Amino acid sequence: MSLISPACRDALQYWLDSLSALAARSENTQAAYRGDVTEFLSFMTLHHSERQGLAALARINVSDMRAWMADQRSAGVGARSLARKLSAVKSFYRWLAEREGFEPTAVLSTRAPKFTQKLPRPLAEDAARAMIDTVELQSSNDWISTRDVAVVTLLYGCGLRISEALSLTGSDAPLPGSLRIVGKGGKERIVPVIPAARTAVDRYLKLCPHPQSQEKALFRGVRGGALNPRAIQGVMAKARMQLGLPATATPHALRHSFATHLLSAGGDLRAIQELLGHASLSTTQAYTAVDTARLMEVYNRAHPKA
């Protein structure tokens, strides 16, 4: 038997539908929200020894919230993950309270645990170049090698998320001088395409055995379907082991490397924000901390008085 009452299950679905319609949340974000709120509602059912209807949810108090937070921490949920879960619960409650007409203060006033913001972990410039070169050596099949190189070149050369690179279709080829990318939250941005990326994609298209069409994915798997991101994650995992790079050398690290290397070369922070598609400049400012940390490392290693 489900731990969630039909009324709560319906309300959760209505909320997710409203997010999809109004806020253009991605499928991954909605799936995470669904999981977080479902887990919260299930806990409340067990905590009160009965399924929680909408009226019962309106009576959740500070003690209930503390019990949930304590249960999450005892289960090994980290501060960052718990803050994300609490954010999803608050968002759902804010919507539900407005819809049902109750006071959600007990939930909305719950403080998220403090955590240290993780800095991006970019690759060094020579490591990023070595990664692309080594990815090419991971397959004996030429078209697969050129495909993998094309994808990682787009990640590093254009600062794309892997989902953005793999969402390109045949209508985007041959790559123009700039791409219109739809990122998180439906936010659009224009990204310049460097010649190396265009050349890498052209090489792939010449060797790809699967016919291209305007609607189908640009990057194909072995059987001709859309390329799964796990394939790129896997090939990069093999390459980083050969290069002796840490586990943080992932496809997303190439996007971090794109931003960090631009900043190191004198790139404008606002321009980098636009290229990455960050809604807030504060997100992009994390890269200034990375650059400062690198400068301090050089200073401490090289200055006679350090």
Side-chain angles (χ1 to χ4, degrees), residues 42-267:
S42 298
F43 170 82
M44 288 301 166
T45 292
L46 296 173
H47 183 60
H48 290 281
S49 301
E50 61 179 356
R51 288 202 294 184
Q52 303 292 282
L54 296 182
L57 291 184
R59 295 193 296 270
I60 285 178
N61 56 37
V62 173
S63 178
D64 294 327
M65 293 303 295
R66 287 175 179 164
W68 173 66
M69 299 275 281
D71 176 77
Q72 292 292 299
R73 294 311 295 265
S74 66
V77 176
R80 178 188 298 272
S81 296
L82 183 52
R84 187 206 72 215
K85 291 172 181 285
L86 179 60
S87 176
V89 170
K90 284 184 176 181
S91 181
F92 171 66
Y93 255 79
R94 194 175 290 111
W95 173 87
L96 186 65
E98 184 176 342
R99 182 172 178 266
E100 298 295 323
F102 65 84
E103 178 54 57
T105 301
V107 173
L108 299 187
S109 63
T110 302
R111 291 186 178 182
K114 293 182 179 180
F115 59 89
T116 303
Q117 187 73 26
K118 287 185 179 178
L119 293 178
R121 298 292 296 274
L123 282 68
E125 291 184 32
D126 57 348
R129 288 193 292 268
M131 173 61 76
I132 294 173
D133 293 339
T134 308
V135 159
E136 189 171 11
L137 306 176
Q138 301 310 304
S139 176
S140 58
N141 190 314
D142 287 346
W143 85 266
I144 291 178
S145 293
T146 57
R147 177 201 68 190
D148 295 344
V149 168
V151 174
V152 296
T153 303
L154 279 170
L155 303 183
Y156 177 54
C158 303
L160 301 187
R161 300 176 178 91
I162 189 169
S163 60
E164 294 168 348
L166 299 189
S167 69
L168 297 175
T169 65
S171 63
D172 295 307
L175 294 188
S178 61
L179 284 170
R180 183 180 296 276
I181 299 295
V182 180
K184 285 186 175 181
K187 183 177 174 59
E188 289 191 2
R189 68 187 192 276
I190 302 297
V191 177
V193 181
I194 61 173
R198 289 202 298 273
T199 299
V201 172
D202 287 342
R203 284 183 61 210
Y204 154 69
L205 289 173
K206 287 178 182 177
L207 295 178
C208 181
H210 305 294
Q212 291 290 327
S213 71
Q214 296 272 307
E215 301 80 18
K216 288 187 176 180
L218 177 63
F219 295 110
R220 306 291 190 82
V222 174
R223 293 186 175 86
L227 180 61
N228 192 301
R230 285 193 294 271
I232 300 301
Q233 292 162 355
V235 78
M236 281 194 62
K238 292 179 182 177
R240 73 171 176 252
M241 289 179 67
Q242 294 175 20
L243 293 169
L245 295 174
T248 53
T250 63
H252 203 65
L254 292 175
R255 173 174 157 88
H256 292 325
S257 304
F258 163 84
T260 305
H261 299 165
L262 280 181
L263 188 64
S264 297

Side-chain angles (χ1 to χ4, degrees), residues 256-280:
H256 292 325
S257 304
F258 163 84
T260 305
H261 299 165
L262 280 181
L263 188 64
S264 297
D268 177 74
L269 197 62
R270 283 284 184 187
I272 295 172
Q273 177 193 359
E274 290 298 319
L275 291 173
L276 292 173
H278 286 161
S280 169

